[in-house]
Amino acid sequence: MRRAVVAVAAAAALALSGCSAAPDAAEAEPDVGVQLFQWPWPAIAEECENTLGPAGFDWVLTSPAQEHVVGEQWWVSYQPVSYRLESRLGTREEFADMVARCREAGVGIVADAVVNHMTGQDEPGTGWAGSTYAHTEYPGIWSSADFHACGLTPDDDIRDYDVRAQVQTCELVNLADLDTASPRVRERLGAFLADLVSLGVSGVRIDAAKHMAAEDVAAIVAPLPDDVRVISEVIRGPLEPIQPEEYLGFGDVFEFSYARDLAPQLRSGIFADPAPAAEGRAMHVPADQAVVFVDNHDTERGEAGVTGRDGDLYVLANVLLLADDFGTPVVYSGYAFDDRDAGAPTGADGRVVADPCTPGEHPDAAAGERTCTHAWAEVAGMLDFRRAVGDAPRLPGVADAAAYGFEREGRGVVGVNAGDESVELEVPTSMPAGEYCDVVLSGGRGADCPDGGAVIVADGVARLSLAPGGAVAIHVGARLP
Ligand code: LM2
Ligand code: CA
């Protein structure tokens, strides 16, 4: 129901704008997110002011804010102990301050919300903020009657993703599974989300949404205001019974197919044009409800995608993500690691720390250091590109050796080279003839275009000089005098 309202409003806006894609069309509202994985609240507030707002990011996806079990690993964030907003990432006050300061900088906050489960601990314990708990006992919040006891597997753990009831009512890696069909449970979880909204968040990520029946999630988010963005995390398993499409009735979903399609193209240097966004892409939810990404905190530790460990290819992946006309892109920014479980660096008090990123810098992050993806010149340049091309459609591309490029009709041209030979790529374009500044190299600062940053468009062709592992992008707003 919530989503329907949004869709009708969007359709009305489209009708008003006449749906024109002419080169002088008004720039479409860009809508780019960034996942600041395990970034503490005060540091996110600073990034909003110094880097994200100026670069034009629209929202930050945070890590969970809930009180969690005590431990060094990053994933303690996914074992809630209570709904107090007191965590290694900051206090309730700091969370509220972050939301306010980011909003002031033009950046919304999308909070990761863990509502499918509580802890995966077998022994009783005390959480980060002092709340006591046992596996299915959370004093003042939940008792064992509020949890599923699926009775479908020997230890009540999920075994078989082909069995819907197991996936949704058994325990995910021993995490105590809330009975989200219960009205009482739904109401309490809804109150938690409402609390986040009362602090000003603009959206929520529903963690482990696949592990809750879509109707349960629908009921939990139903009381939220219509303009709160709900993004369900439903990892697409192509042959599984539970599909992301089930979760579109009340919000958007993360579309895992996007990165799975992109990565092999970059690795092989063999690129294929996707179907036009308006027609939809195979195994993708519709573009207007798809949140797409190169990687996230789970895939960079699991799936064989392109990640920060892939050097140039990772830059190219982000360039293509941001140049595309499909879905809402989320840039991922975390920290380098060599142990999957390793938590983000902490101070003496056990709280997570993060130094500010320097806009335009692209540090070579060693294990434990922040990648600062969101501050890279290449990313800032592509946000600039995205603003300039607006809703101009992506046209069929051209390939030459391991290089590939395409036009956003009349407004921008992008090219990447996934091979180890230089390529002069000729991309047909209806952009006006002239000299343009490569925004990937310049970080979007077109006026003082760096040496080697000029790209010629003549006779309906953009000539992109693509170094091995390089990317170039030009747009109508970065034409040189
Ligand atoms: C998610 N989405 O659906 C998160 O994106 C993902 O990062 C979470 O897993 C998962 N679902 C649960 O919220 C992470 C991490 C796991 C970790 C869990 C719980 O990837 O490794 O599991 O959080 O903290 C860990 C141990 C696991 C153990 C479990 C419970 O790795 O071996 O299971 O804790 O103690 C016995
Ligand atoms: Ca469940």
Side-chain angles (χ1 to χ4, degrees):
M1 293 309 107
R2 306 180 55 260
R3 184 67 212 183
V5 176
V6 176
V8 168
L14 256 182
L16 280 174
S17 76
C19 198
S20 158
D24 56 352
E27 295 186 356
E29 232 0 79
D31 180 23
V32 181
V34 55
Q35 178 181 359
L36 290 184
F37 174 63
Q38 292 290 313
W39 272 73
W41 316 147
I44 290 179
E46 214 170 319
E47 291 305 292
C48 282
E49 292 166 349
N50 299 338
T51 309
L52 302 173
F57 278 99
D58 299 286
W59 48 276
V60 175
L61 170 60
T62 69
S63 284
Q66 293 147 266
E67 180 185 5
H68 50 75
V69 297
V70 175
E72 296 290 310
Q73 305 88 344
W74 61 268
W75 44 250
V76 297
S77 288
Y78 291 96
Q79 297 194 37
V81 164
S82 78
Y83 298 102
R84 295 174 60 193
L85 305 183
E86 302 289 337
S87 74
R88 280 208 302 183
L89 298 172
T91 64
R92 180 183 181 88
E93 226 177 10
E94 288 167 332
F95 187 89
D97 182 61
M98 163 187 74
V99 174
R101 286 166 62 189
C102 287
R103 170 171 297 212
E104 193 62 31
V107 184
I109 295 291
V110 174
D112 199 350
V114 184
V115 292
N116 171 66
H117 56 260
M118 298 299 281
T119 76
Q121 306 301 311
D122 290 323
E123 300 302 325
T126 302
W128 169 265
S131 303
T132 58
Y133 67 87
H135 191 68
T136 56
E137 295 291 339
Y138 299 83
I141 313 171
W142 308 122
S143 60
S144 57
D146 298 315
F147 290 88
H148 284 131
C150 76
L152 299 172
T153 60
D155 54 3
D156 278 1
D157 253 21
I158 300 168
R159 279 287 147 75
D160 187 350
Y161 276 75
D162 294 334
V163 181
R164 177 181 291 269
Q166 271 192 40
V167 177
Q168 297 186 327
T169 66
C170 293
E171 294 187 339
L172 169 66
V173 294
N174 198 40
L175 300 162
D177 200 67
L178 285 162
D179 176 11
T180 44
S182 142
R184 201 191 98 75
V185 171
R186 288 175 173 180
E187 204 179 308
R188 182 65 188 85
L189 293 173
F192 162 55
L193 300 183
D195 183 37
L196 292 169
V197 170
S198 79
L199 297 179
V201 304
S202 53
V204 289
R205 169 189 186 265
I206 305 294
D207 179 67
K210 185 200 279 185
H211 299 280
M212 294 175 277
E215 61 173 295
D216 297 358
V217 183
I220 292 164
V221 304
L224 299 180
D226 285 341
D227 59 354
V228 174
R229 184 176 204 158
V230 173
I231 315 175
S232 296
E233 189 234 12
V234 187
I235 302 176
R236 191 186 284 280
L239 301 174
E240 292 177 17
I242 304 161
Q243 291 295 313
E245 280 73 10
E246 297 170 26
Y247 296 77
L248 297 177
F250 47 85
D252 303 339
V253 301
F254 289 97
E255 181 49 86
F256 283 69
S257 290
Y258 189 91
R260 291 171 184 168
D261 283 1
L262 185 59
Q265 298 187 46
L266 285 158
R267 291 206 188 286
S268 65
I270 303 169
F271 293 89
D273 288 327
E279 284 171 27
R281 294 188 186 178
M283 299 286 273
H284 287 62
V285 298
D288 65 343
Q289 287 184 274
V291 180
V292 295
F293 52 88
V294 170
D295 59 342
N296 68 22
H297 68 284
D298 289 324
T299 68
E300 79 165 342
R301 288 171 173 76
E303 297 208 3
V306 173
T307 74
R309 294 185 293 280
D310 290 301
D312 287 343
L313 281 193
Y314 189 59
V315 178
L316 304 193
N318 279 284
V319 166
L320 290 174
L321 172 81
L322 294 168
D324 205 350
D325 66 350
F326 186 90
T328 299
V330 192
V331 171
Y332 176 70
S333 194
Y335 54 89
F337 59 89
D338 40 37
D339 166 11
R340 150 191 217 274
D341 295 332
T346 50
D349 55 3
R351 288 173 43 128
V352 173
V353 292
D355 291 329
C357 294
T358 308
E361 275 184 14
H362 187 147
D364 212 353
E369 288 172 2
R370 301 280 167 182
T371 58
C372 291
T373 322
H374 60 282
W376 294 354
E378 298 94 324
V379 167
M382 289 311 295
L383 258 63
D384 191 46
F385 175 94
R386 214 177 157 79
R387 265 189 304 278
V389 302
D391 55 8
R394 168 177 176 166
L395 299 184
V398 293
D400 183 355
Y404 170 77
F406 60 84
E407 176 182 17
R408 293 290 299 273
E409 191 169 10
R411 300 193 62 86
V413 169
V414 63
V416 299
N417 182 4
D420 40 26
E421 308 284 342
S422 295
V423 176
E424 296 293 320
L425 188 69
E426 302 202 339
V427 185
T429 178
S430 59
M431 286 173 70
E435 224 180 324
Y436 293 84
C437 183
D438 169 15
V439 296
V440 176
L441 185 68
S442 70
R445 283 168 199 78
D448 33 79
C449 195
D451 223 19
V455 175
I456 309 287
V457 173
D459 307 320
V461 173
R463 288 187 178 71
L464 311 183
S465 299
L466 293 165
V472 170
I474 58 173
H475 61 73
V476 285
R479 192 160 166 200
L480 295 169

